[in-house]
Amino acid sequence: MASAERGPSTRTVHAGLPAAAQGEPFLPGPVFAAPFHLQGPVDAAPFGYTRNANPTWVHYEAALGELEGGEAVVFASGMAAVTAVIVPMLRPGDVLVAPVDGYPGIREIAREHLAPRGIEARLVPTDEDAVREAMPGATLVWLESPSNPGLDVLDVAALTAEAHAAGALVAVDNTLAGPLRTRPLDLGADWSMTSASKHITGHSDLVLGYVAARDPERAAALRAWRTTTGAIPGPFEAWLAHRSLATLAVRLERQEHNAAAVADALRARADVADLRWPGVGAVVCFALESAERAQAFLEASALVSEATSFGGLHTNAERSGRWGTDDVPEGFIRFSAGIEDTEDLVADIAAALDRV
Ligand SMILES: Cc1ncc(COP(=O)(O)O)c(C=O)c1O
C-alpha cells in the first residue's frame, strides 16, 4: 500500500522517521550546533552552520512534506512563513489579493511594508465572488480557508484554477484545517502555509510555522530566504514539534468530536447566536449578546481557559474583539476544543452559560 493511501494516524506516527537502524532511536534527538565541523570546501558536508541547515529540521520537514504532498520548509513562526512567501516575490507595481477578515498579520505586512514599496493590497472578504472580482491584474492571491475567526470556507480548487488563468499565483493559509483535512497543493495551490503553533504541534508550547511547495525552485527560494533572514526554528522546537506530530491524528479526531458536540449543544440554546463550525478543526465560534456576558462566561467556566490561539490539548477561548483587529460583534467568542472528555466539556459550558 502506498504511504499516501494509509490512514492518518499511520501516516503521522511514521512521518519523517529515518529507516530503522540497529541501536538507533526511532526519532533522532535534537542536534544542537551553531557551526558543525566543516573542513575544506563549504559544500564538503551537508551541515556547516545551523542558520543554513540543521539535521533536526530535515526529519521534521520530511514528515510535513509527506503530509502536505510537497517539499516543506519550516520557519520560526507562522508569520515568518507568511513573510517568506509574500515579501521576496512581490515587486513594486505588483498586486496582492488577501483577506480583509482573516488573520490580521498579512494585513499588517501589507500596510506597513508592502504599501510603502508600491505594492497594492486588495483586501477582500473570504467570499468566492469577492476573491474572483479582485483577481484581474493580481500577482498573488492569498486565501485563508477556513478563515480566522469567521470560519468561512472557500472552494480552493476552483479559485486557484481561476487565479492561474488570470496569471496570478496562489498561496493558501491552511492553518485552521491542516494537512490531514485539506491539502492545498493537491488543489493546485502554489504554496500551502500553516501556523504550526496551533493543532499541528497541539500542546500550546511551541510557536512555529511552515510552507510547503511542489515546485523545487519555490522550495529552494523559501530556504534561501530563511537562511538570509535567519527566520529559523531552534532544533529543540523542531524536535518537539516532530514528536508531537505522531499524535496529531488522534488529537484532532478527539478535538473535532468535542467541537461537534459543543456546536450541537450551543445550537440548541436561545442565548447563543451566530454559531459557526466548518465541520473540520477544533475551532467553534459563536456570539453572546454583549462583551460583558462573553467575559462573564469565560470567567464562569472551569474547563475553558481564557487564552488566545487555538488547536491545543486544553480547551481555550477568548473574546475576539478584545484585540481590536477583527471586525466582529463585541460578544463574539472564538472557542477551541481540547481533548477533555466530551461530557465534561459540554456540561461545563452549559453550566457556565446558565450561571451568567
Ligand atoms: C490563520 C493564521 N495564520 C497565521 C497565523 C500566525 O501564526 P504564528 O502565530 O505562528 O506566527 C495565525 C496565528 O494565530 C493564524 O491563526
Side-chain angles (χ1 to χ4, degrees), residues 202-338:
H203 291 64
S204 304
D205 52 10
L206 292 171
V207 171
L208 279 179
Y210 70 89
V211 183
R214 216 158 257 180
D215 176 347
E217 279 182 24
R218 286 201 182 107
L222 292 166
R223 282 203 183 86
W225 173 264
R226 178 179 65 184
T227 296
T228 306
T229 60
I232 58 166
F236 190 57
E237 279 76 5
W239 179 82
L240 270 177
H242 197 166
R243 183 183 190 270
S244 305
L245 194 65
T247 55
L248 172 61
V250 287
R251 283 187 278 109
L252 188 57
E253 211 174 294
R254 169 63 86 96
Q255 285 175 283
E256 286 178 342
H257 181 75
N258 282 350
V262 168
D264 283 347
L266 293 177
R267 201 173 289 116
R269 296 186 67 106
D271 57 350
V272 171
D274 202 10
L275 180 82
R276 296 152 188 237
W277 184 56
V280 293
V283 180
V284 175
C285 290
F286 56 95
L288 299 182
E289 75 207 9
S290 63
E292 291 69 31
R293 183 149 194 267
Q295 201 59 41
F297 160 70
L298 294 170
E299 280 161 30
S301 162
L303 293 179
V304 183
S305 301
E306 185 179 359
T308 195
S309 200
F310 52 87
L313 296 166
H314 326 86
T315 294
N316 74 292
E318 71 174 335
R319 207 171 57 74
S320 299
R322 69 177 173 163
W323 293 96
T325 49
D326 300 304
D327 185 15
V328 290
E330 282 297 311
F332 186 95
I333 290 178
R334 188 183 64 194
F335 169 95
S336 174

Side-chain angles (χ1 to χ4, degrees), residues 76-80 82 102-103 144 146-148 173 175-176 193-198 207-209 309-310 334:
S77 68
M79 282 315 299
V82 172
Y103 186 70
E144 187 176 302
S147 59
N148 172 19
D173 184 333
T175 300
L176 268 287
M193 173 265 148
T194 298
S195 165
S197 319
K198 319 298 178 191
V207 171
L208 279 179
S309 200
F310 52 87
R334 188 183 64 194

